[in-house]
Amino acid sequence: MLLAAMSAGLAQSEPEWRHGAALSGEPKYAEGFEHFDYVNPDAPKGGIVRLGESTGFDTLNPILPKGNTAPGLGLMYDSLLEPALDEININAEYGLIAEAFRYPDDYSWVEYRLNPQARWHDGTPISVDDVIWSFGKLKEVNPSQAFYYRHVTSAEAMAERVVRFTFDAPGNRELPKIVGQLIVLPKHWWEGTGANGAPRDISGATLEAPLGSGPYRIGAFEPGRYIEYERVADYWANEHPVRVGTNNFDKLRYESYRDQTVLLQAFKADQYDFRAENSAKNWATGYDFPAVRDGRVVLETFPDKARGIMQAFVLNLRREPFSDIRVRRAFNLAFDFETANKTVFFGQYKRIPSYFAGTELASSGLPQGKELEILESVRDLVPERVFTTPYENPVNGDPASLRENLREAVELLREAGYELRGRQMVNVASGEPLEIEFLDNDPNSERYVLPYAHNLERIGIKMTLRTVDTPQYINRIRERDFDVTTLGWAQSLSPGNEQRDYWGSEAADRPQSRNYGGIKDAGIDALIEKVIYAGDRDELVAATRALDRVLMAHHYVVPQFYIDVDRTARWDRFGHPENIPEYTHGFPTIWWWDAQKAERVGGRG
């Protein structure tokens, strides 16, 4: 009787299996839901959608950290869990390859129970062995992913269809969902031999179309020019609740073009169908052509509520001028956003005041409440000014304001050990002039970089603009071979473990990390952990604001500009659900081919 009672107690302590889970509260969709609310479950299947991109590709290996991976490879693979598009980014996820998952109250491990229907495109069941092998190879081959998953200590089979991932410490609420996003690869295919008889190598580039499990497989392709994906008619998850009403096109094709100018002209010539426009000038002046005027091309904006953003002049802290906060602040004072917005950007942008611009996560004013408590707990590690002085970007926009800010910049540079000698700013100790290079891969950047360089020249700093091709640019950023460049970080509405990769000290010297500037700061590290281990949504928001406030106080970057809508242009051949989710337009995932519209529009290049 005693043994039976003990066994019953142990059984009761086992966590329950879940169909879905949220970081805070309950997921929107209850167990047994038929489809997401935002899809059209009766959307027609058929047609083709063509997308344009400017990077090209040289490998079809989805996890390789080097080279240029083909766009759209994610269409070929399912993950253990799938997020809904109408809930806060990664806040809630639902089972896909995993029919259910569970974890204890302390989040010290997670188990996934695989769906017995899950299949690779060759009909082989997706196995626990595939999941464990994929996790191991991802960490082995990709240093960035090894860092991202470093708190996962083991992956082991618990039953025929159950895999457990164990974590190195309890309390990280995000890890069960992060592991659920793992790309699962077919072990039997990658450990087999290719058509040439040679063993396949997951650690190397390949142009052999790999085996997948997702709604699409690779059809025709030509490296550097195009790749086409074909819908899998007998896809195992066609009727799965997270897939109903999605992936409606028979074909998706990505066309590669050599630069952004050619990319826009190709769209006008009906060489591809849908374009997300990130240039204010193009949006204001580039779409006055017959197909827009007669309605064959639709221009439409969608609210951008799914993310925060920091886009900035990223200063390489590994290089001497920018290791000094006074130099970094001087560079911000010289950036005349207001004039650029008026003369170059057609008044479309806002100045970025936060690493989480446009969200409730952005800090403002002085810290209060829970945010203040969190900052007090690391007071000896953060600048005192975060408690006394709200961050504000300098304001230019007229000659008087610019002169005043440039005078302040010169004074800051003098304090940092520089002085003007004639028209040159030089290091007093070495006599070396302060000269830097701005690196970019987009010729259009000169519209705002050259005026910025002119302002720096007025205080004796020479900044030259160097534009290189995209592969060279990517390699130089990876190797941290730059002085200044424009980069950005898109932020989830539920930030977590990725913050270590963005700003953590351990990521600063890792080439594949997104800590591009080389931030190393104990206070930042401590606050990242506060974000990751936040106990609820209120604490997460407060911890993120505290992190944001300290990042801004260090002047690591010169914030640029953002817009809170997505600007899109499309050839009017497509239908979409009436209730598009508020966090994304969902193109092309939840859209479909509209034969009547396509007949009216005609053409196809």
Side-chain angles (χ1 to χ4, degrees):
M1 291 177 62
L2 178 61
L3 289 172
M6 291 175 63
S7 298
L10 287 172
Q12 290 174 3
S13 67
E14 285 289 303
E16 294 183 359
W17 291 99
R18 308 163 181 260
H19 75 291
L23 281 178
S24 57
E26 294 299 318
K28 174 180 177 179
Y29 295 94
E31 188 167 5
F33 74 97
E34 296 181 357
H35 56 78
F36 292 135
D37 290 346
Y38 51 81
V39 303
N40 173 7
D42 300 316
K45 304 290 185 181
I48 181 174
V49 60
R50 304 163 303 164
L51 303 170
E53 56 93 30
S54 61
T55 59
F57 67 93
D58 55 19
T59 181
L60 301 176
N61 184 332
I63 67 172
L64 205 63
K66 55 189 176 182
N68 294 323
T69 303
L73 282 181
L75 296 165
M76 294 179 55
Y77 301 98
D78 287 328
S79 53
L80 294 164
L81 307 179
E82 182 79 4
L85 300 181
D86 58 349
E87 296 179 83
I88 293 177
N89 214 5
I90 72 164
N91 187 46
E93 293 185 352
Y94 301 87
L96 183 55
I97 289 178
E99 67 176 1
F101 59 110
R102 65 179 183 172
Y103 46 83
D105 291 341
D106 68 356
Y107 304 95
S108 57
W109 53 265
V110 61
E111 288 181 353
Y112 304 95
R113 189 176 71 217
L114 303 194
N115 190 321
Q117 304 302 316
R119 293 286 189 277
W120 299 106
H121 292 159
D122 64 359
T124 304
I126 299 176
S127 69
V128 164
D129 201 26
D130 288 323
V131 176
I132 295 172
W133 182 85
S134 299
F135 179 71
K137 288 300 179 181
L138 185 66
K139 292 184 69 174
E140 175 188 322
V141 169
N142 192 313
S144 180
Q145 293 299 301
F147 178 82
Y148 192 54
Y149 287 111
R150 73 189 190 283
H151 294 289
V152 182
T153 58
S154 65
E156 56 188 327
M158 305 300 290
E160 182 182 1
R161 292 191 290 115
V162 178
V163 57
R164 173 182 286 197
F165 292 84
T166 303
F167 309 138
D168 62 1
N172 191 328
R173 299 182 308 130
E174 196 180 21
L175 277 177
K177 297 173 186 62
I178 286 176
V179 176
Q181 298 163 7
L182 175 74
I183 180 172
V184 181
L185 302 172
K187 178 183 177 181
H188 70 284
W189 189 88
W190 281 101
E191 291 192 339
T193 56
N196 60 0
R200 299 186 179 103
D201 180 10
I202 190 67
S203 66
T206 182
L207 289 174
E208 180 184 9
L211 180 69
S213 63
Y216 290 90
R217 59 166 57 96
I218 293 176
F221 68 91
E222 185 174 339
R225 294 194 62 187
Y226 74 91
I227 184 167
E228 195 167 271
Y229 296 89
E230 301 171 346
R231 188 165 58 86
V232 178
D234 59 350
Y235 170 46
W236 74 271
N238 271 330
E239 304 303 320
H240 194 287
V242 306
R243 289 288 190 241
V244 171
T246 69
N247 303 302
N248 301 311
F249 295 99
D250 279 348
K251 292 183 179 180
L252 283 91
R253 181 181 175 101
Y254 290 84
E255 301 277 1
S256 299
Y257 299 92
R258 63 178 180 267
D259 61 41
Q260 294 296 328
T261 300
V262 176
L263 195 61
L264 176 57
Q265 296 307 314
F267 175 78
K268 292 180 179 182
D270 195 11
Q271 297 298 306
Y272 64 98
D273 297 302
F274 183 94
R275 177 175 171 83
E277 184 54 71
N278 60 9
S279 166
K281 179 182 179 183
N282 286 344
W283 191 248
T285 66
Y287 291 91
D288 184 14
F289 60 100
V292 173
R293 293 193 290 270
D294 64 25
R296 288 176 295 145
V297 166
V298 176
L299 306 182
E300 188 171 3
T301 61
F302 298 89
D304 184 0
K305 297 182 179 181
R307 61 176 188 167
I309 186 70
M310 168 55 82
Q311 178 178 299
F313 294 108
V314 176
L315 313 174
N316 192 342
L317 309 181
R318 306 168 187 87
R319 300 197 169 176
E320 180 185 343
F322 302 123
S323 61
D324 193 307
I325 189 173
R326 293 165 294 191
V327 175
R328 302 196 296 266
R329 173 66 178 168
F331 270 71
N332 198 356
L333 287 159
F335 179 48
D336 187 353
F337 161 75
E338 290 73 20
T339 297
N341 194 38
K342 181 170 58 178
T343 61
V344 177
F345 301 133
F346 301 87
Q348 295 180 31
Y349 289 119
K350 302 174 184 178
R351 184 83 194 269
I352 288 180
S354 161
Y355 282 77
F356 300 84
T359 75
E360 66 170 337
L361 304 170
S363 60
S364 62
L366 290 175
Q368 298 178 5
K370 185 64 177 177
E371 181 193 351
L372 181 58
E373 291 178 25
I374 291 170
L375 287 169
E376 288 284 4
S377 72
V378 294
R379 189 166 193 137
D380 59 331
L381 299 177
V382 301
E384 181 63 25
R385 59 185 170 276
V386 303
F387 298 96
T388 61
T389 309
Y391 177 86
E392 292 182 357
N393 282 311
V395 177
N396 286 301
D398 60 78
S401 297
L402 181 58
R403 283 194 300 270
E404 183 61 30
N405 283 329
L406 292 179
R407 278 195 292 268
E408 184 180 347
V410 170
E411 178 60 22
L412 285 169
L413 290 165
R414 185 191 64 77
E415 294 173 7
Y418 293 86
E419 68 177 11
L420 273 172
R421 294 180 184 173
R423 294 187 176 182
Q424 274 192 329
M425 185 67 68
V426 300
N427 184 299
V428 173
S430 67
E432 292 293 322
L434 183 47
E435 297 181 352
I436 59 171
E437 178 184 84
F438 180 89
L439 180 70
D440 211 336
N441 64 333
D442 183 2
N444 291 323
S445 64
E446 68 180 26
R447 295 179 298 118
Y448 66 92
V449 173
L450 293 182
Y452 183 32
H454 176 70
N455 290 344
L456 291 170
E457 187 178 15
R458 291 176 61 179
I459 57 174
I461 300 172
K462 181 179 180 182
M463 183 171 79
T464 56
L465 169 61
R466 183 173 183 187
T467 304
V468 298
D469 61 36
T470 297
Q472 184 179 354
Y473 178 77
I474 292 171
N475 287 333
R476 287 191 59 177
I477 298 301
R478 284 175 176 170
E479 298 303 319
R480 313 310 191 205
D481 182 17
F482 68 93
D483 295 327
V484 183
T485 189
T486 289
L487 289 166
W489 296 266
Q491 290 282 8
S492 161
L493 299 184
S494 295
N497 291 264
E498 75 286 344
Q499 303 302 307
R500 291 174 175 146
D501 193 51
Y502 290 176
W503 336 112
S505 297
E506 290 184 67
D509 296 323
R510 188 164 41 82
Q512 300 297 330
S513 83
R514 287 168 287 181
N515 188 344
Y516 305 115
I519 296 171
K520 289 184 180 180
D521 183 82
I524 298 295
D525 293 338
L527 288 168
I528 290 172
E529 299 307 298
K530 300 284 187 183
V531 170
I532 292 172
Y533 289 97
D536 55 33
R537 181 69 187 175
D538 289 343
E539 186 177 351
L540 175 65
V541 171
T544 305
R545 288 175 179 173
L547 172 62
D548 179 44
R549 187 179 301 277
V550 175
L551 283 166
M552 296 303 294
H554 281 292
H555 298 282
Y556 290 128
V557 300
V558 177
Q560 290 183 355
F561 33 81
Y562 78 109
I563 190 170
D564 52 11
V565 297
D566 290 326
R567 299 169 295 208
T568 69
R570 68 180 184 271
W571 287 85
D572 192 21
R573 300 184 173 103
F574 312 106
H576 64 72
E578 293 183 4
N579 56 329
I580 286 180
E582 63 177 321
Y583 296 112
T584 174
H585 52 65
F587 188 90
T589 305
I590 61 174
W591 295 51
W592 59 85
W593 173 262
D594 187 313
Q596 289 185 336
K597 287 183 176 181
E599 184 177 0
R600 184 183 70 84
V601 169
R604 289 309 298 229

